[in-house]
Amino acid sequence: MRLALGLLPFLAVGGFVAARSTASPNVHVPVVAYPDGYRAWTHVKSTMIGPSHPSFATMGGFQHIYANPQAMVGYRTRTFPEGSVVVFEWLEMRDSAGAFREGPMRQIDVMAKDPHRFDSTGGWGFQRFVGNSRTERAAAPAPAQCFSCHQRLKKDDLVLSHWRD
Amino acid sequence: MRLALGLLPFLAVGGFVAARSTASPNVHVPVVAYPDGYRAWTHVKSTMIGPSHPSFATMGGFQHIYANPQAMVGYRTRTFPEGSVVVFEWLEMRDSAGAFREGPMRQIDVMAKDPHRFDSTGGWGFQRFVGNSRTERAAAPAPAQCFSCHQRLKKDDLVLSHWRD
């Protein structure tokens, strides 16, 4: 079950990976801020989509999950306090005879906990930033799409990954 | 060239991965301390040895590199100050139709910069800790073996990995 949950992002957003279009900020939808300095946050875990995976062309590579200090409280208690931010970083990969290294950035997916601003999506804001951009927000997946799948699994405050002790 | 250097640990220590024997601390050899809390340090990068790699059975899985604050100065400047510690964490992997997730810990390899204590190995102490143990030190590779290969490549203060900007 843990495997299935861990792989959810690969399944849930697969249909949207190729979408590079961007949306203008909608004043009616609260905006998720770019997570400045997230690479200095705690690295929770990594996964990788390899060449034998059916979605390799659009999703192949490394996925690294980073958590800010508030989110690390959540990873310990499974209740994430306001201010928690989790970043799911997608990198392409390079294959050297079965030894894989990181390639260019595909995008980052951000979850930010603020029950007041994001009450319509379970207290979490969801946003994808395209490539290395700090400002270019992907139109898809829309926050409601992210929320719908996380909510369906209703797992531990909507955060699907786990900290390895 | 960067690829070749990035993959060095896979080549250099391959012959020693299976060695699970341990050595008693030798009073004549300075001891490298276990890097407490390294998983909260900065995650520098990851690599992975996949199922198609010839050394998959003994080395397959994820390799995560973590750096303490002093080592992060070194990653920026390529000159690593005293107190720098770099941890190379080896995890097995689990394969689910080409989607890979982290498995159990194989070992961690530690590099600690202290020119006074480790003057015979380029100012760096080298130590492998077995599995999840904080006290079980692997007998192989010996510090001199680690140093010999890092020294041969003589790259940027003996640290072979790079920070991705």
Side-chain angles (χ1 to χ4, degrees), chain A residues 56-67:
Chain A
F56 177 71
T58 53
M59 301 167 62
F62 290 89
Q63 299 85 42
H64 300 315
I65 299 177
Y66 298 94

Side-chain angles (χ1 to χ4, degrees), chain B residues 78-114:
Chain B
R78 302 312 297 178
T79 300
F80 289 78
E82 182 170 340
S84 293
V85 182
V86 177
V87 175
F88 197 96
E89 181 188 68
W90 298 75
L91 300 171
E92 296 180 34
M93 50 146 276
R94 296 292 178 259
D95 183 351
S96 177
F100 306 121
R101 61 186 174 99
E102 298 172 349
M105 181 90 82
R106 291 185 181 280
Q107 67 242 338
I108 63 169
D109 293 336
V110 183
M111 284 180 69
K113 181 83 175 276
D114 185 336

Side-chain angles (χ1 to χ4, degrees), chain B residues 120-133:
Chain B
S120 67
T121 48
W124 289 93
F126 298 89
Q127 183 63 60
R128 169 168 295 178
F129 290 85
V130 177
N132 279 307
S133 177

Side-chain angles (χ1 to χ4, degrees), chain A:
Chain A
M1 186 59 177
R2 182 167 290 193
L3 171 61
L5 292 173
L7 296 176
L8 174 76
F10 311 151
L11 305 172
V13 300
F16 308 111
V17 168
R20 307 289 285 188
S21 62
T22 57
S24 301
N26 183 327
V27 294
H28 301 294
V29 177
V31 171
V32 174
Y34 182 85
D36 284 319
Y38 75 86
R39 290 184 63 203
W41 297 354
T42 301
H43 171 233
V44 176
K45 64 185 290 188
S46 296
T47 48
M48 210 199 80
I49 299 288
S52 65
H53 192 278
S55 298
F56 177 71
T58 53
M59 301 167 62
F62 290 89
Q63 299 85 42
H64 300 315
I65 299 177
Y66 298 94
N68 73 355
Q70 295 95 316
M72 283 309 299
V73 172
Y75 274 105
R76 297 287 188 194
T77 64
R78 302 311 298 179
T79 300
F80 289 78
E82 182 171 339
S84 294
V85 182
V86 177
V87 176
F88 197 96
E89 181 188 66
W90 298 75
L91 301 170
E92 296 181 35
M93 50 144 278
R94 296 294 178 258
D95 183 350
S96 177
F100 305 121
R101 62 188 173 96
E102 297 172 350
M105 182 90 82
R106 289 185 183 281
Q107 68 242 337
I108 63 169
D109 292 337
V110 184
M111 285 180 70
K113 181 84 176 276
D114 184 336
H116 308 291
R117 298 182 65 221
F118 304 114
D119 61 340
S120 68
T121 47
W124 289 93
F126 298 87
Q127 183 62 60
R128 168 168 296 178
F129 290 85
V130 176
N132 279 308
S133 177
R134 303 165 62 89
T135 56
E136 191 179 355
R137 292 171 159 81
Q145 292 172 301
C146 301
F147 171 61
S148 157
C149 199
H150 281 252
Q151 172 69 5
R152 182 168 57 79
L153 289 156
K154 193 68 178 173
K155 184 78 180 172
D156 291 347
D157 206 4
L158 304 189
V159 174
L160 308 177
S161 52
H162 286 261
W163 175 257
R164 160 177 57 86
D165 283 316

